[in-house]
Amino acid sequence: MGRLRQDLAGALMLMTRLPTGRLGGTGMAPLGRTVWAWPLVGALVGACGGSVAYALRAATLPPLVAAFWALVAQSLLTGALHEDGLADTADGLFGGRTPARRLEIMRDSRIGGYGAVALCLGFGIRAAALAALPAPALLPALLFSGALSRSAMAVPLLCLAPARADGLASTLRRPAWTGLAVVTAVILLPNALILPARPAVVALASVLVVSLWLSGTCRRRLGGYTGDTLGATVVLSECVALSALSAAAG
């Protein structure tokens, strides 16, 4: 049990701004060992956003306004970690001529045009999709997309090697795949039963497709994955998952 708590604390420390000192005890779990807890963290972030969206809808705020505030809450919880990865990935993939130059751009703290456009579209698509959902579907939809999008980070880990020998992503070479699959299924199945069946299946397929597409693009243009591209995988997965789920409301 102590090891599981340490793994969960490591995942929370990696992907949120929550204090995790007492939960983790002493020592830091290897990042590869924390992978099974990633969908749990995603579900927690989704629960935060879904609760905010539902409460604001109940307070008669317009759906789109409530959706944006839900994304604000999630960004505060995660420190906008994945959005930062999306912006850096967009700037790097499309702003350089060689893999080395693209990786250099991704380490630049300044945001470029591609990154700014990617951020605007990422927030806009998710907000519009949430606004299209009925209020009772907000919490299960965000739990579903939150867990699924964090599990989607396993796709580039399976398909690619790290693009750099150093950096955070280079330590994720031996993740706990079995635990990840079990935890993802445990979280997704109850929410999939609440949500309309066809959009939920389409969401799963769409996340797999976009994760594979981004992994292929990273292979060609970067030579592998980085921490930023893992963050981009999360945001793109949330965009397509919520878009698919919103189709049921159309």
Side-chain angles (χ1 to χ4, degrees):
M1 186 62 69
R3 176 169 170 163
L4 295 180
R5 286 174 51 201
Q6 192 179 56
D7 291 353
L8 180 57
L12 287 167
M13 186 181 299
L14 175 66
M15 292 190 285
T16 74
R17 291 291 183 260
L18 293 175
T20 59
R22 291 186 179 180
L23 177 63
T26 59
M28 178 70 177
L31 283 182
R33 212 178 76 194
T34 71
V35 170
W36 70 266
W38 289 0
L40 279 177
V41 176
L44 173 65
V45 174
C48 172
S51 299
V52 170
Y54 184 82
L56 293 179
R57 287 273 199 102
T60 69
L61 260 69
L64 188 58
V65 176
F68 269 111
W69 278 115
L71 295 177
V72 168
Q74 291 191 161
S75 298
L76 290 173
L77 183 58
T78 63
L81 174 69
H82 307 307
E83 286 76 14
D84 179 69
L86 174 67
D88 287 342
T89 298
D91 281 334
L93 287 179
F94 304 109
R97 293 184 177 274
T98 66
R101 176 56 182 153
R102 292 170 190 137
L103 289 170
E104 182 183 348
I105 290 172
M106 290 169 68
R107 277 191 162 160
D108 192 331
S109 60
R110 294 169 295 182
I111 186 170
Y114 289 112
V117 170
L119 278 178
C120 291
L121 292 176
F123 277 109
I125 290 171
R126 287 179 292 173
L130 288 172
L133 290 170
L138 289 170
L139 184 56
L142 280 168
L143 282 167
F144 185 90
S145 63
L148 182 59
S149 61
R150 272 65 176 186
S151 299
M153 289 193 288
V155 173
L157 295 183
L158 280 168
C159 297
L160 307 175
R164 301 187 183 100
D166 61 341
L168 198 64
S170 64
T171 65
L172 293 169
R173 300 186 182 187
R174 293 183 180 178
W177 302 115
T178 304
L180 175 69
V182 170
V183 173
T184 301
V186 167
I187 295 173
L188 293 189
L189 283 176
N191 292 290
L193 293 174
I194 297 171
L195 297 165
R198 182 176 295 178
V201 172
V202 172
L204 282 166
S206 300
V207 167
L208 178 59
V209 169
V210 79
S211 301
L212 289 170
W213 169 80
L214 183 58
S215 296
T217 303
C218 290
R219 184 197 301 273
R220 293 191 304 272
R221 301 185 70 82
L222 299 176
Y225 68 85
T226 69
D228 285 328
T229 65
L230 295 179
T233 299
V234 170
V235 179
L236 291 177
S237 296
E238 285 186 333
C239 285
V240 296
L242 289 173
S243 296
L245 294 176
S246 71

